[in-house]
Amino acid sequence: MVKLVRNFSVIFTLMLLSGCEFKLFDPKGPIAEVQMDLIIITTLIMLIVVVPVTIMGIWFPYRYRKNNTKHEYNPDWEHSTKIEIVVWAIPILIVIVLGVITYVTSFSVDPRKPIQSENKPIVIQVVAMDWKWLFIYPEQEFATVNEIAIPVNTPVEFLVTSDTVMNSFFIPNIGSQIYAMSGMENRLNLMATEEGEYKGFSSHYSGFGFSGMKFTATAKTETAFNQWVSQIKALDKPLDDTRLENLRVKSKDVQPIYFSSVNPLLFNEIIEKYAGALNVR
């Protein structure tokens, strides 16, 4: 019976994990690589305590169980300085090591810190809406919904805000998540080092349509990226006031939409709307 339960537990666990893609452990950019290393290192360090405690938590009750007369637990002491030193010193050292590693890594992958590269960075303005993502390319002067493309090996500076409640912008394969908040601008610097399609989504619950608030980030060659931009700009579909108001209507599982032109000040106007600057004028 014990063997049957054990085998069932293993199979059940594997079935639960079969749908997982472990995107955090498949980095496609320098920021994601550092974050993966941090997760692995901190986990291994914490296992220094977790593994022995788990083993003892199973072995002690089994060895000193009530019906085991060969190993009766009957200590003749009440205090051990050596044990106290071990059980306190090791966790303290682990916390210190984890603190140093986290402190150093936090500055090395600061989301506002530009990524060094020979290629000129591009800027993408990100606006969280209900329940979709609006992406504005201010340099190329066009916009998309729920789809972006970036040149491979080119730093991207994401300027992030919200036109609704708080959300969280996240592309696991490329790097950090950062919050999108109305009336504020957050910055996130990322770079993809391999071509491919990567899933992005909101990692912060924001209401009924939260589960469908996803987008695709495609890393392309410079040539392919320029062709993609040209195709969108060739469309006769500007993001005018009417289309913008339609985007602000709550909707779920929105398919990609492309706009050939956009108001270059739209991103700032959305921030100012919630910051109160427009009302002051």
Side-chain angles (χ1 to χ4, degrees), residues 2 5 20 37 59 70 83 116 141 156 163 185 198 205 227 230 236 240 279:
V2 173
V5 172
C20 299
D37 292 340
W59 182 65
K70 293 182 179 180
I83 292 179
Q116 299 301 319
E141 297 185 354
V156 182
D163 196 18
E185 176 193 279
Y198 309 119
Y205 182 73
Q227 291 175 348
S230 299
D236 185 16
D240 52 26
N279 296 328

Side-chain angles (χ1 to χ4, degrees), residues 127-186:
V127 182
M129 309 181 83
D130 289 326
W131 284 276
K132 61 194 78 71
W133 294 97
L134 171 63
F135 300 102
I136 302 171
Y137 288 73
E139 297 166 339
Q140 293 82 8
E141 297 185 354
F142 71 93
T144 63
V145 173
N146 285 352
E147 182 179 314
I148 56 172
I150 58 176
V152 69
N153 292 320
T154 297
V156 182
E157 183 180 35
F158 292 97
L159 307 181
V160 185
T161 191
S162 175
D163 196 18
T164 177
V165 298
M166 184 168 69
N167 270 285
S168 183
F169 177 77
F170 192 21
I171 310 175
N173 291 111
I174 303 179
S176 310
Q177 67 86 25
I178 197 163
Y179 282 100
M181 294 175 281
S182 57
M184 299 179 63
E185 176 193 279
N186 266 335

